[in-house]
Amino acid sequence: MNGGDPGAPSRGTAAGSGAAAGADDAARDARAGDAADSRRGNAGLVAALAAAAVPLVLGLIVAGAIALSGDRRELVLTTGLAAAAAVTGLVLSVIVGAVVAVLGARRHRRQRDAARLSDATRHAFEEGRELERSHHRRFLARLDHELKNPITAIRASIVAYDLSGPAASPQLAVIDDQARRLATLVGDLRKLSELETRPLELEPVDLESLVKEAMGALQQQRPEVGGRLSLVVTRVPWSVPPVNADIDLLSLAIDNVLTNAAKFSPGGPIEVRLREEGGWAVLDVADSGRGVPEPDLPVVFDELARASNARDVPGSGLGLTLVATVLRRHGGDVTLRSRADSGTVVTMRLPTAVRP
């Protein structure tokens, strides 16, 4: 299976730069605040050590005054060995405890500062990513507007010619075919732009029923797939709970994945597997088709991306992008595993309405 027809939006360069700049500014602010906190903490530590040193300094002053006065009297204390050992242990314990307390305070402060910096960076990154998506949506809308009118004009001009007659120009047929392809691409880009902003109409959805409907629709569109398509649903020890989803958008995602499997595995079996796993509804669509070459795997969810071995199959390269967008908006995710000439497994995960 390859990146087919109408999954994660590609990142715009300008928007990505804005996100990075926002994260850097937030990180600098956090570091400045942390530096001020560190200075205050160090000042407090110095003050505590100074207070602890006062008795020692006073003792040294008194000892110096006595020495200067010429007083040679001696104070002899007699104590037992056990008592001396106990006093020595007590003094050492106090010293070690003080050192441990100081080191612990420093470690705690470093951990707190690191956590604060991490929170600030994460918040800035989320803001930057949302800004990036906003720029991307505007770009798609503008692209749709700029391409739609010229394509409509081209196709309207070609309609005036008879492309089926013996005198039909092969060049005009090529132009008509490419214009249709561009029109499909523009329509898919419009869908992707709408998916980013369309309000979700959530309702409890029986995923098994929805998958069966999608499989039935695929069999009607491609009768040759009928004998190769199978569904396995895990019901023991419990069935798959419903999911809260926009049924139209979720149907679009499932349809795209099934269509890809049918397109890129024209002769082998297609297995659809549905199960519940740790509070998630997991749907696998596995085929035994041509697969995706390993160098192409990192970009299969990018817009307009097509695997190097899929150039001969019609498609816009937006299918998996739409799938990833739908799953992300539902709080889920999609992954793809594939081997060239062996097959592909697309795994979609959605949070269930009933958590264990």
Side-chain angles (χ1 to χ4, degrees):
M1 185 180 300
N2 297 266
D5 304 329
S10 63
R11 273 52 178 171
T13 302
S17 300
D24 290 343
D25 291 342
R28 272 197 302 272
D29 293 342
R31 284 194 294 267
D34 293 339
D37 289 344
S38 179
R39 287 193 294 271
R40 287 193 293 270
N42 290 336
L45 179 61
V46 171
L49 292 175
V54 168
L56 176 61
V57 173
L58 290 177
L60 292 175
I61 292 174
V62 172
I66 293 175
L68 291 175
S69 67
D71 192 337
R72 296 294 185 266
R73 288 179 295 175
E74 296 181 357
L75 179 62
V76 180
L77 297 177
T78 302
T79 182
L81 182 60
V87 171
T88 302
L90 177 61
V91 172
L92 291 176
S93 296
V94 171
I95 294 174
V96 172
V99 171
V100 170
V102 170
L103 294 178
R106 288 183 175 177
R107 183 171 61 254
H108 175 72
R109 185 169 63 253
R110 285 196 298 268
Q111 292 173 346
R112 180 195 61 197
D113 294 345
R116 186 178 302 168
L117 179 60
S118 176
D119 290 341
T121 303
R122 184 165 52 250
H123 178 68
F125 177 76
E126 291 297 332
E127 287 185 343
R129 186 163 60 177
E130 183 55 39
L131 179 63
E132 176 187 341
R133 288 173 180 163
S134 176
H135 288 319
H136 188 64
R137 288 192 294 267
R138 287 200 295 271
F139 168 75
L140 291 178
R142 188 162 59 248
L143 186 64
D144 171 38
H145 176 74
E146 294 297 331
L147 291 178
K148 181 170 58 179
N149 292 337
I151 293 172
T152 301
I154 293 171
R155 299 198 63 193
S157 301
I158 294 175
V159 169
Y161 297 90
D162 182 11
L163 300 180
S164 59
S169 169
Q171 289 82 5
L172 284 178
V174 172
I175 293 173
D176 182 57
D177 182 63
Q178 295 303 315
R180 290 176 183 274
R181 183 177 178 183
L182 281 175
T184 301
L185 176 61
V186 170
D188 291 344
L189 287 171
R190 188 182 307 118
K191 284 181 185 178
L192 183 58
S193 177
E194 292 171 353
L195 282 180
E196 294 281 358
T197 56
R198 167 181 166 172
L200 297 180
E201 299 178 4
L202 298 178
E203 59 180 289
V205 175
D206 182 349
L207 202 52
E208 181 179 348
S209 298
L210 190 62
V211 170
K212 287 180 177 178
E213 290 178 8
M215 293 173 63
L218 179 63
Q219 289 172 338
Q220 288 184 352
Q221 297 169 5
R222 298 172 177 264
E224 73 279 4
V225 174
R228 301 189 289 117
L229 195 60
S230 63
L231 172 64
V232 176
V233 181
T234 300
R235 298 187 177 87
V236 178
W238 50 73
S239 59
V240 180
V243 296
N244 283 327
D246 185 312
I247 192 169
D248 293 332
L249 294 187
L250 192 54
S251 295
L252 175 66
I254 295 173
D255 288 344
N256 272 283
V257 175
L258 288 174
T259 300
N260 271 1
K263 283 199 306 182
F264 294 104
S265 59
I270 301 172
E271 295 182 359
V272 182
R273 303 186 284 264
L274 177 62
R275 65 187 184 278
E276 188 276 338
E277 191 175 275
W280 296 82
V282 182
L283 178 65
D284 293 327
V285 177
D287 65 65
S288 56
R290 63 179 68 183
V292 180
E294 186 174 356
D296 298 329
L297 288 175
V299 298
V300 291
F301 292 105
D302 289 354
E303 292 161 0
L304 306 179
R306 306 206 70 201
S308 57
N309 61 348
R311 307 300 182 188
D312 60 318
V313 180
S316 64
L318 288 172
L320 290 178
T321 310
L322 291 175
V323 173
T325 301
V326 171
L327 270 293
R328 174 177 56 79
R329 293 206 61 197
H330 284 81
D333 56 56
V334 57
T335 57
L336 181 146
R337 293 177 293 127
S338 186
R339 292 180 183 174
D341 302 321
S342 295
T344 300
V345 180
V346 176
T347 300
M348 295 174 281
R349 298 196 319 147
L350 288 165
T352 61
V354 180
R355 289 280 178 161

